[in-house]
Amino acid sequence: MEHYLDNAATTKPCAKAAAAAMRCLMEVYGNPSSLHRKGLEAQHEMDLARKRIAEALGCKSKELLFTSGATESNNLSIRGIAASYGKRRKKIIASAVEHASVKQTLSFLEVQGFTVVLVMPREDGTYHAADFLKEVDSNTLLVTMMLVNNENGCRLPVEEVFRAVKRRDSEVVTHCDAVQGFLKMPFRAKTLCADLISISAHKVHGIKGVGALYIRQGIRVKPILFGGHQEHQLRPGTESVPLIVAFGVAVEKLSSDVMDRYQQIVQLRKRLIELLRTMDGVLIRDLPDTSPYVLNISLLGYRSEIVLHYLEKQKIYLSSGSACSKGASSGVLESFGAKQNEVDSALRISFCAENTEADLTALVQGLKGAQRDLMH
Ligand code: PLP
């Protein structure tokens, strides 16, 4: 039996989404820009997916465009806003724990002459709206904040910050990377006060290679790719109809019971914490305001990669908690105050509604086995 506990990295596509993609691959293969029946059929399928996702996000269909994933949605948002409004205003405010697709884009803009201010969490691991708001001034172009951090599940006060920013100066643009919050906690595009929202299909049981970007009506974003007229001339290239349709199906399936699943995951996480507390040498990062979908721990004294490979032999799958890329940490856990030895031994457990008590007991047994069998 497999124990997949790496749902913040990606989720298993749901059967309905996979079936819809296969049907489109084989039957709805027209180019949505073609004027004949096969093209119109593809366009119609895409329109339906857009409507489903827009409904789940609480926006109009025409405010949603498809991309290749949240990486592209984040790039397009930030670079597109900088190109559109960045002549007069040069300051961008972001949390210090954004995903690389935001942080790297900000570094790119810094080289182009923009000023980037990264806001750190407080010592207790929480984010406060006031820490963002004190940075906002007449030079501020954009405030970008993720809804939920992908490494430790920390929830950022996005709505509070965006609402206050807009009240102070409605010209400041607001962007939210909502990848780890979409369909995991209830929110609507309008009440979030975000001008732009990035989401990704493969984090919600869709298929890799497609995402979406909400752009509030009236916000001007300049394209970063050039070519055809697709997606309001903002994202050229023939749309991947099978992936988009599967995205729509996955979203429709999840959107009806966000709160029920939330409660289920709260219980799962609570139970895992209970089980972990019976062990010695486990540091549990149970921050005050966290999404239940992610739990970051450290198996102190044991390097993450070694533990991951030990667990995978027992078909238990999770991530190193610091999203290491070839040995280099992303710096997120350090921003939350973790010490080097804690970062080196960090593990990220991330849930979906299909996880059960059996996954939790297998994991705890696996971790106890690691403490017994591996070199300390
Ligand atoms: N933003 C966050 C918070 C993520 O967790 C991820 C995925 O790892 C991304 C952006 C990038 O999403 P995608 O894989 O669709 O490009």
Side-chain angles (χ1 to χ4, degrees):
M1 186 179 172
E2 286 194 346
H3 303 284
Y4 187 76
L5 290 160
D6 200 13
N7 291 280
T10 197
T11 53
K12 181 179 172 186
C14 70
K16 267 181 140 178
M22 189 52 105
R23 178 181 62 78
C24 283
L25 273 173
M26 303 315 289
E27 294 169 25
V28 193
Y29 51 80
N31 184 325
S33 296
S34 293
L35 294 179
H36 50 66
R37 190 163 55 82
K38 289 304 277 181
L40 292 179
E41 239 171 55
Q43 181 67 55
H44 174 73
E45 293 273 0
M46 222 166 59
D47 288 347
L48 182 62
R50 202 187 304 272
K51 185 165 172 283
R52 285 173 166 162
I53 300 166
E55 265 166 22
L57 205 53
C59 67
K60 298 179 192 138
S61 284
K62 64 180 178 196
E63 292 176 308
L64 197 74
L65 64 90
F66 290 114
T67 63
S68 63
T71 295
E72 188 188 333
S73 299
N74 286 341
N75 271 262
L76 176 55
S77 299
I78 297 167
R79 292 176 60 189
I81 287 299
S84 211
Y85 303 103
K87 278 216 170 68
R88 285 187 297 117
R89 294 175 177 235
K90 294 282 179 198
K91 183 172 172 183
I92 303 175
I93 301 166
S95 88
V97 298
E98 295 296 313
H99 186 261
S101 54
V102 168
K103 273 189 142 178
Q104 296 298 322
T105 308
L106 296 179
S107 299
F108 168 80
L109 287 180
E110 239 175 345
V111 177
Q112 317 289 311
F114 288 85
T115 304
V116 175
V117 175
L118 298 179
V119 178
M120 292 286 282
R122 295 218 180 143
E123 248 177 52
D124 63 354
T126 56
Y127 261 109
H128 291 254
D131 298 340
F132 288 87
L133 294 172
K134 72 170 194 269
E135 302 295 348
V136 179
D137 59 21
S138 58
N139 190 31
T140 304
L141 166 70
L142 173 73
V143 180
T144 175
M145 286 171 78
M146 67 198 330
L147 202 55
V148 172
N149 182 268
N150 47 304
E151 293 183 42
N152 63 3
C154 170
R155 267 202 300 230
L156 281 77
V158 175
E159 186 181 331
E160 198 184 340
V161 172
F162 286 3
R163 194 171 292 283
V165 164
K166 288 288 183 190
R167 216 179 292 128
R168 192 178 295 178
D169 181 350
S170 61
E171 280 186 41
V172 178
V173 181
T174 52
H175 165 253
C176 178
D177 173 347
V179 167
Q180 299 289 349
F182 181 52
L183 301 177
K184 295 181 176 160
M185 54 188 267
F187 74 90
R188 314 289 291 163
K190 294 286 176 296
T191 49
L192 202 60
C193 272
D195 294 316
L196 302 133
I197 301 175
S198 304
I199 55 173
S200 177
H202 73 101
K203 311 286 185 177
V204 292
H205 302 279
I207 300 174
K208 292 157 199 66
V210 64
L213 176 61
Y214 156 76
I215 306 178
R216 186 169 66 79
Q217 212 175 338
I219 294 292
R220 277 178 292 119
V221 174
K222 288 211 169 142
I224 56 173
L225 296 173
F226 300 94
H229 58 270
Q230 291 93 344
E231 300 296 297
H232 310 303
Q233 310 203 0
L234 266 177
R235 204 281 177 170
T238 306
E239 298 90 342
S240 177
V241 179
L243 300 189
I244 289 171
V245 168
F247 191 9
V249 169
V251 166
E252 190 182 44
K253 184 163 182 284
L254 287 192
S255 54
S256 60
D257 60 351
V258 173
M259 272 326 284
D260 289 347
R261 272 183 298 110
Y262 186 91
Q263 292 307 340
Q264 182 189 339
I265 304 292
V266 165
Q267 292 312 320
L268 215 55
R269 187 177 188 277
K270 223 164 121 184
R271 177 76 185 126
L272 179 59
I273 291 176
E274 251 171 47
L275 292 172
L276 290 170
R277 289 212 169 113
T278 65
M279 293 178 65
D280 289 327
V282 181
L283 177 83
I284 302 169
R285 289 188 185 80
D286 191 17
L287 292 169
D289 197 11
T290 331
S291 160
Y293 282 83
V294 182
L295 179 65
N296 197 303
I297 65 168
S298 285
L299 192 66
L300 296 167
Y302 298 88
R303 283 195 75 82
S304 315
E305 302 77 43
I306 309 215
V307 177
L308 288 192
H309 294 309
Y310 176 86
L311 292 175
E312 96 186 324
K313 292 198 191 104
Q314 297 161 49
K315 297 191 177 163
I316 300 166
Y317 304 102
L318 36 80
S319 271
S320 75
S322 55
C324 288
S325 161
K326 294 188 179 140
S329 152
S330 69
V332 166
L333 297 183
E334 290 89 335
S335 293
F336 282 96
K339 300 190 190 78
Q340 194 56 50
N341 69 314
E342 296 168 356
V343 173
D344 292 343
S345 57
L347 300 168
R348 179 186 68 185
I349 300 137
S350 49
F351 304 106
C352 77
E354 278 164 31
N355 288 128
T356 62
E357 173 94 14
D359 297 322
L360 310 185
T361 42
L363 172 62
V364 172
Q365 286 313 315
L367 293 173
K368 285 181 177 165
Q371 286 177 325
R372 192 182 54 233
D373 299 341
L374 297 175
M375 287 270 288
H376 196 275

